[in-house]
Amino acid sequence: ARYHTTQLGEMAKTGKARNKELARGINRVGRTTASSKAGRFRFTKKGGAAVEQKQAEEVPLGRYYQADDVAKPIPSRKSRHKPTRLRANITPGTVLILLAGRFKGNRVVFLKQLSSGLLLVSGPYKINGVPLRRVNQAYVISTSTKVDTSKVDVSQLDDGFFAKSVEAPKAGGEEFFADDSQKHVVSAEKKAMQKKVDKTLMAAISKVELLSAYLGAKFSLKKGQYPHEMKF
């Protein structure tokens, strides 16, 4: 039934309910219908308090405009380089298992973290053939085995040590007919550094029984073996 405004006011004064209760907790009409009958929508603003919108400042336009689009630099995050956080279970001397790359499955000794965030490791080369190398910590498994690297001097090694030399382009058609079968030649500087680091590492490894054989053995899994259930 529809009521006049004066009738609604009188009903409110007398305390008569506009909505009949059919059972305990069950009303004849819903909350939306009851609110519509009460007419509360006439006293409230839609959407609550009005939000003040700031008017954009008008930019004065010149007499002429550029015919071509003005190139704007695309924002880049290259200059916001943050140092990569090293995993807590990787410390100098920790034996790591490589999971990717040319030497996957080999065990190596972690020496230090470079400025690029990559890990500097070595086999040593004399034991398993892994030279001084940079690896990503996402592709290694850290073990509980440690090697004493306190006497290994790697202060001179950085990312520049692994930079490849750029050869000058050959003139004419010599580049097309060039022999691609030439092997990569390791510089004398890298060979000397490898011998220097491995000499100190081998002295520390020889003091621990069976450590040399452990580093020389490749890591592999058999059927029913799961890495996440193992303790390395």
Side-chain angles (χ1 to χ4, degrees):
R2 294 184 178 276
Y3 298 96
H4 195 265
T5 310
T6 55
Q7 291 177 333
L8 291 173
E10 291 174 1
M11 291 170 67
K13 290 178 182 178
T14 56
K16 186 177 180 181
R18 301 188 185 93
N19 195 2
K20 185 180 179 182
E21 189 176 16
L22 302 177
R24 188 175 182 182
I26 303 175
N27 297 329
R28 185 174 63 87
V29 294
R31 184 172 53 182
T32 306
T33 307
S35 177
S36 178
K37 286 186 175 183
R40 298 193 195 100
F41 59 87
R42 289 193 289 267
F43 305 101
T44 57
K45 292 182 179 180
K46 188 175 181 181
V51 180
E52 297 181 359
Q53 297 181 355
K54 296 182 180 180
Q55 296 181 355
E57 298 180 359
E58 295 182 359
V59 180
L61 300 176
R63 186 176 179 184
Y64 303 99
Y65 64 91
Q66 295 184 357
D68 299 329
D69 295 334
V70 180
K72 294 182 180 179
I74 300 175
S76 176
R77 291 183 294 177
K78 289 183 179 179
S79 58
R80 304 179 194 171
H81 178 69
K82 296 181 181 178
T84 307
R85 186 181 298 175
L86 187 64
R87 277 154 50 185
N89 55 1
I90 299 178
T91 55
T94 302
V95 176
L96 307 176
I97 301 173
L98 303 181
L99 301 178
R102 178 183 170 190
F103 300 100
K104 62 182 178 180
N106 286 92
R107 294 178 172 90
V108 294
V109 181
F110 169 66
L111 301 176
K112 73 171 185 178
Q113 186 182 26
L114 302 174
S115 58
S116 62
L118 299 176
L119 310 183
L120 176 65
V121 299
S122 180
Y125 183 80
K126 188 175 181 180
I127 294 178
N128 51 27
V130 182
L132 285 168
R133 191 173 179 83
R134 295 180 297 177
V135 296
N136 193 324
Q137 62 177 337
Y139 302 106
V140 299
I141 295 177
S142 60
T143 66
S144 57
T145 308
K146 298 275 187 179
V147 178
D148 183 17
T149 59
S150 58
K151 297 181 180 180
V152 181
D153 183 18
V154 289
S155 58
Q156 299 178 356
L157 293 174
D158 54 4
D159 291 298
F161 177 79
F162 299 94
K164 295 182 180 179
S165 57
V166 181
E167 298 180 357
K170 298 181 179 180
E174 296 180 8
E175 183 179 359
F176 181 77
F177 295 102
D179 186 12
D180 296 334
S181 60
Q182 294 180 358
K183 295 183 178 181
H184 174 67
V185 180
V186 182
S187 63
E189 178 189 2
K190 291 185 178 180
K191 288 182 179 179
M193 182 59 69
Q194 183 72 57
K195 290 180 180 180
K196 178 183 176 182
V197 172
D198 283 3
K199 183 179 179 181
T200 315
L201 275 178
M202 290 299 297
I205 292 171
S206 60
K207 295 179 181 179
V208 182
E209 188 179 2
L210 300 177
L211 183 56
S212 178
Y214 173 74
L215 291 172
K218 274 203 168 186
F219 172 76
S220 61
L221 293 173
K222 295 181 180 179
K223 188 176 181 180
Q225 295 180 336
Y226 306 102
H228 62 278
E229 295 180 352
M230 296 180 180
K231 185 177 180 181
F232 295 94

